[in-house]
Amino acid sequence: MVIHKNMKRKLIIVTGSLEIGGAERHLSLILPLLAARGWSIQVFILTKKGALVPVLEAQGIPVNCLLSPFQLKLAQKLPSFLGTMIRVLLPVVNLAKKLRQENDAILHFFLPEAYVVGMFGAMLAGFKGPKLMSRRSMNNYQKRRPEVAWFEKRLHPKMSAIVANSAAVMSQLEKEEGVPASCLKLIYNGINLDAFTSTQLRNEYRKNLGIEEDALVMAMVANLISYKGHKDLLQALDKIKNDLPKKWYLLC
């Protein structure tokens, strides 16, 4: 996909939530930088506003919920099937209403549920602008949710580009899900290292946590979910514990 000079720099992000998480944190870091470069950005989320919403709103990036608080509460109270229908159908309809006015924007989906729901909204609206999907992990979740896998594979051909954040994810999309290599783009997650260069902060954090200056500190930054691999890490550390320094800590 090529962004032409005369194309309006408008970006619409559709994602599941803005609670604390890897993809969500990534958006909270990247979108303000794009806004500073002249992009007009809107964010649509499927559920209630989360902890990272103020970060974006402070930078003038509007965040819109596709379900009202009342609709979300209603979906939670109803039997499972009816609740799911509300959580899917209403965001589709509400997003479609918004997108009918935004055919000159780029539409970018983050995470599986937002991809499926968002694309139905785009199709209902007859959205003609470029459409992108970002895959932020391996597709192991498809084994637990085969219906999502079924929809995703049928939506892939409708994308202008599909973005992977690792070579392994990119390879999986091509070999297992049939996405043409010409449609795939690899963009690694970026980290602003300036936030981690302060020796004063390093010493302060160690003091607050009761960690000695000469101790080895390892950290795993991931939600406590089984597929994140905490068990694998603990098993690996058990195998090398005799080779580690006397003082070491693992922060999760």
Side-chain angles (χ1 to χ4, degrees), residues 6-25:
N6 60 349
M7 180 182 289
K8 292 186 177 180
R9 296 165 71 86
K10 296 175 65 176
L11 176 63
I12 296 173
I13 300 291
V14 182
T15 189
S17 79
L18 283 172
E19 297 290 357
I20 300 296
E24 295 83 359
R25 180 65 176 153

Side-chain angles (χ1 to χ4, degrees), residues 16-81:
S17 79
L18 283 172
E19 297 290 357
I20 300 296
E24 295 83 359
R25 180 65 176 153
H26 178 75
L27 287 171
S28 76
L29 294 171
I30 297 299
L31 296 184
L33 297 176
L34 289 174
R37 294 188 178 193
W39 283 83
S40 173
I41 302 170
Q42 295 186 70
V43 179
F44 292 95
I45 56 178
L46 303 185
T47 57
K48 63 182 179 180
K49 291 188 175 184
L52 294 172
V53 169
V55 176
L56 296 180
E57 291 182 335
Q59 301 296 322
I61 299 172
V63 179
N64 308 277
C65 295
L66 294 173
L67 278 176
S68 69
F70 170 77
Q71 292 167 342
L72 188 58
K73 287 182 179 179
L74 180 62
Q76 292 169 343
K77 291 180 179 179
L78 289 173
S80 178
F81 175 75

